[in-house]
Amino acid sequence: MSSNLSARRRFLRDSAALVGLSAGVIPAAAAQMSHSEAPTTNATSKDTACKDTKDLIAYGERSRYVKSIRVPVSDRMSPDMFGMTFHIASPLQDSSGMITASSLHYVSTHRGSYLPDINPAEHRLMIHGMVDRPLIFTVDEIKRFPFVTRPHFLECSGNHAKATDKTVQQSHGLTSCSEWTGVPLSLLLKEAGVQNGASFFIAEGAETVKGAVSLPIAKAMDDCLVCYAQNGEPVRPQQGFPLRLIVPGFEGMVNVKWLRRIKLVEKNYMTYNDYGHLAPDSKVAALNHQIGPKSIITFPSGEQKLPGPGLYDITGLAWSGAGAVRTVDVSVDGGQSWKPAELRTPAYPMAHARFGFPWKWDGTETVIMSRCTDELGTVQPTRAEIAKYWNVPNDAQLQIKGLDNSIFPWRVASDGTVHNGLA
Ligand SMILES: Nc1nc2c(c(=O)[nH]1)N[C@H]1C(S)=C(S)[C@@H](COP(=O)(O)O)O[C@H]1N2
Ligand SMILES: [Mo]
């Protein structure tokens, strides 16, 4: 027996002991694998399947064996009824850690067929309205201000789970988390000099429909960022190259891409992107944007299959617009009992955190779900509580209303297949 194999056995035995299980739960195939069956790779310098090395020297790419892709979500109308909102969902079922690869970040763009092709040398950001000194910045001038780098999630307010969703990509794929780098908007506003009486700002994008929103200046002063980098490179075109506004913890819609204008105003204005928030009181409208604590199990999830009874590591993502994730609980008995999961990443404010939960599946049908509590102590609500909040009579109507941060169930059938627990 190779020493690697005995190490592997030791790990499985020890980790089983760690969670109070006997070694008998180790999947038979792994425990009985002989040296000759051990997985090997035989890469040689003759391998020519990869791209020409010159291309790979210039810019890397993933293995051709990795097939994980984004998919368009075509059945969701824009809340503003001006036309379709084009949504592209991230493959959460394949995700690991807390950062989404930029190339797999979800996309939500009104009139999605149109992607602005902006030359950063020509791009400008104007700050005007109720300021002492209206200013126009080039991208390079923005980069001369002291930057900050922070992980933040984005989530589209259309990220509703439906009973007909088959995969976690369909039910929850309109959220992602990137490491964003940019300049605090408060610095730029101080440079311009905020006048008395200014209480909101309107942020506008450079594309045809502008993607404008209005937000309270207090939020700008608190933590908004004007970002030029995402995951260590310039913001991707679909995410708003060359400049995008990040409004930590607020729904995706207000994170204006291709940012070109910020106007300080005396009150909340109804803009294209604000249309979904027909709250007559501007204070209510402004506060409606914050995302509540939410979590989702990404493994095992819809259309995945457990090979048989045994030890599994349930994992998923948790986040909150109000701050950092404090705890995640997991239920493996349909919500009758809950146990704390482990946070496997740091829990940063307004960022995805990854949780893990070692689980011995005995092979009987069951329902698994996760529940997030954020640093304010707010607990992720049940589906019934959310329906009551939005005042909708039944589950079917939930999808047409506002944010849905409800607890989501996966049903694990006795053959190991995993299904939407709402169905
Ligand atoms: N200029 C502009 N900004 C925009 C949008 C848009 O259509 N135009 N879409 C918004 C919506 S609805 C969402 S959910 C987020 C999505 O950001 P992402 O595509 O980078 O994931 O961007 C927001 N910012
Ligand atoms: Mo969105």
Side-chain angles (χ1 to χ4, degrees), residues 136-157:
I136 294 177
F137 297 101
T138 65
V139 177
D140 283 342
E141 284 164 356
I142 295 287
K143 288 181 180 171
R144 286 169 61 179
F145 285 87
F147 65 87
V148 297
T149 295
R150 292 177 191 150
H152 285 306
F153 74 81
L154 291 177
E155 183 179 16
C156 181
S157 51

Side-chain angles (χ1 to χ4, degrees), residues 65 122 127 140 159 167 192 197 219 238 258 305 353 377 416:
Y65 300 102
E122 286 161 16
I127 298 184
D140 283 342
N159 206 22
T167 65
K219 182 65 177 170
Q238 286 174 311
W258 315 296
K305 189 174 192 294

Side-chain angles (χ1 to χ4, degrees), residues 211-290:
V213 295
S214 54
L215 288 164
I217 285 181
K219 182 65 177 170
M221 291 310 189
D222 190 17
D223 59 3
C224 288
L225 302 176
V226 174
C227 291
Y228 48 81
Q230 174 189 12
N231 297 335
E233 63 178 359
V235 171
R236 292 277 168 119
Q238 286 174 311
Q239 264 70 58
F241 182 85
L243 293 178
R244 102 155 301 160
L245 185 66
I246 288 291
V247 187
F250 279 27
E251 61 182 293
M253 192 160 70
V254 301
N255 293 257
V256 174
K257 305 193 274 194
W258 315 296
L259 181 68
R260 72 158 188 185
R261 194 156 76 98
I262 287 176
K263 183 175 185 182
L264 275 62
V265 290
E266 78 290 4
K267 66 176 176 71
N268 177 57
Y269 281 87
M270 200 57 74
T271 65
Y272 181 88
N273 269 1
D274 285 320
Y275 197 82
H277 300 267
L278 290 173
D281 181 340
S282 66
K283 285 195 201 91
V284 173
L287 291 171
N288 258 353
H289 293 301
Q290 187 171 295

Side-chain angles (χ1 to χ4, degrees), residues 105-110 156 207 239 244 252 255 257-258:
H105 196 285
Y106 91 89
V107 183
S108 172
T109 296
H110 304 282
C156 181
E207 86 277 32
Q239 264 70 58
R244 102 155 301 160
N255 293 257
K257 305 193 274 194
W258 315 296

Side-chain angles (χ1 to χ4, degrees), residues 378-402:
T378 310
V379 182
Q380 183 178 359
T382 63
R383 193 94 175 153
E385 284 165 344
I386 275 288
K388 203 171 156 204
Y389 178 83
W390 291 113
N391 197 19
V392 286
N394 58 48
D395 200 74
Q397 285 195 30
L398 202 53
Q399 53 174 295
I400 60 164
K401 283 291 193 165

